[in-house]
Amino acid sequence: MLEIRDLECGYGPVAALKGVSLGVGEGELVALIGANGAGKSTTLRAISGLVKPRAGSIKFRGEEIAGADPAHVLAAGVAHCPEGRRGFPYMSVADNLAMGAYLRRDPIKVREDFDRVYSDFPRLAERRAQPAGTLSGGEQQMLAIGRALMSRPKLVMFDEPSLGLAPTIVEQTLGIIRSIRDDGATVLLVEQNAFAALELCDHAYLIETGRVVRKGAGKELIADPLVRAAYLGG
Ligand code: ATP
């Protein structure tokens, strides 16, 4: 579904990605793990068109999307749930969800998706008229996930969905991500919590300073000495 080859990206003089190649098959849950600053978020930003690659290719369902406009990538079926739960704090929960569907022209199905998000996240249903900025951290994370789902994505990318959440909410959030995959979407997950990500995923890539240094099934990487030493506390 997604095939990235030799991707290079940077910010001014900073080379953030130095030739990343990775693949995500249809229906898979794939994790990107690695330390702060390794280039995980930049990879997601390049896919969604927020960062223009300097070199390399990004193919989504056979179409070259490297350098494409973010609206085009979204319309093609890629949703990006960014780090930090960025939403529209002064807008209501319902309006924030509606923003996720702004490109869609199928109002009946959009209505169905509203109902689905509200049934998956009853807290959002209760607070639908409230400004998003008044929600707790966990609720804002649910809202960010719900907003991404409102575009009915084929591929949904999550950047650090568990960051700053209480442990019980982390488990709940990762459970929701698994169920999104079980419902038929393909998931690319960036996660600081390497162990949780490796347990959840089909396969994973370890990124260090802009390069993929390990790839394999989640279980293989959990057993890998380099991964154990650097990311799983030995
Ligand atoms: P984190 O978990 O901290 O977000 P990451 O693996 O997602 O880490 P990136 O955010 O992709 O890493 O950062 C890769 C490199 O690019 C780092 O060296 C970072 O300092 C740099 N970088 C990221 N965003 C910017 C920016 N807006 N301007 C300049 N440099 C940036």
Side-chain angles (χ1 to χ4, degrees):
M1 172 170 270
L2 180 75
E3 205 57 54
I4 298 182
R5 287 271 160 262
D6 304 321
L7 184 64
E8 294 176 29
C9 289
Y11 304 91
V14 179
L17 301 183
K18 302 167 188 163
V20 164
S21 298
L22 60 88
V24 181
E26 182 149 11
E28 286 181 341
L29 197 167
V30 172
L32 302 184
I33 60 167
N36 277 330
K40 307 176 300 295
S41 300
T42 302
T43 305
L44 299 194
R45 283 187 214 124
I47 296 165
S48 61
L50 297 171
V51 166
K52 302 296 169 208
R54 290 179 176 166
S57 144
I58 305 174
K59 285 208 169 123
F60 178 64
R61 305 176 89 218
E63 184 198 353
E64 181 59 58
I65 56 164
D69 192 67
H72 177 85
V73 178
L74 177 62
V78 180
H80 186 175
C81 188
E83 193 176 343
R85 315 190 258 279
R86 271 169 233 149
F88 305 95
Y90 299 109
M91 281 166 53
S92 69
V93 166
D95 287 345
N96 267 271
L97 291 175
M99 290 301 285
Y102 84 102
L103 284 174
R104 291 176 59 181
R105 297 288 173 266
D106 50 352
I108 294 170
K109 287 191 175 145
V110 169
R111 193 65 258 162
E112 282 172 22
D113 287 347
F114 261 110
D115 291 343
R116 202 161 116 208
V117 169
Y118 285 146
S119 94
D120 285 351
F121 306 108
R123 301 283 289 183
L124 297 183
E126 286 163 22
R127 281 147 214 261
R128 66 181 84 189
Q130 229 170 278
T134 64
L135 301 180
S136 73
E139 290 161 355
Q140 291 196 31
Q141 185 59 64
M142 304 295 157
L143 181 58
I145 295 173
R147 192 172 54 241
L149 296 180
M150 287 301 292
S151 66
R152 269 217 187 184
K154 297 182 177 77
L155 170 69
V156 50
M157 307 191 293
F158 295 100
D159 198 348
E160 306 276 12
S162 71
L163 199 72
L165 299 182
T168 52
I169 316 262
V170 169
E171 242 172 68
Q172 191 189 345
T173 306
L174 295 176
I176 287 163
I177 289 170
R178 189 201 303 263
S179 71
I180 290 168
R181 191 276 306 270
D182 293 345
D183 285 347
T186 303
V187 175
L188 183 56
L189 169 68
V190 164
E191 184 48 65
Q192 196 66 238
N193 183 338
F195 189 73
L198 292 174
E199 278 208 309
L200 191 66
C201 71
D202 297 303
H203 63 270
Y205 295 85
L206 168 61
I207 300 189
E208 279 182 356
T209 56
R211 290 193 173 86
V212 172
V213 294
R214 284 285 193 284
K215 61 180 173 185
K219 286 195 184 87
E220 279 166 32
L221 292 194
I222 286 176
D224 186 293
L226 170 82
V227 175
R228 293 192 77 82
Y231 302 98
L232 303 177

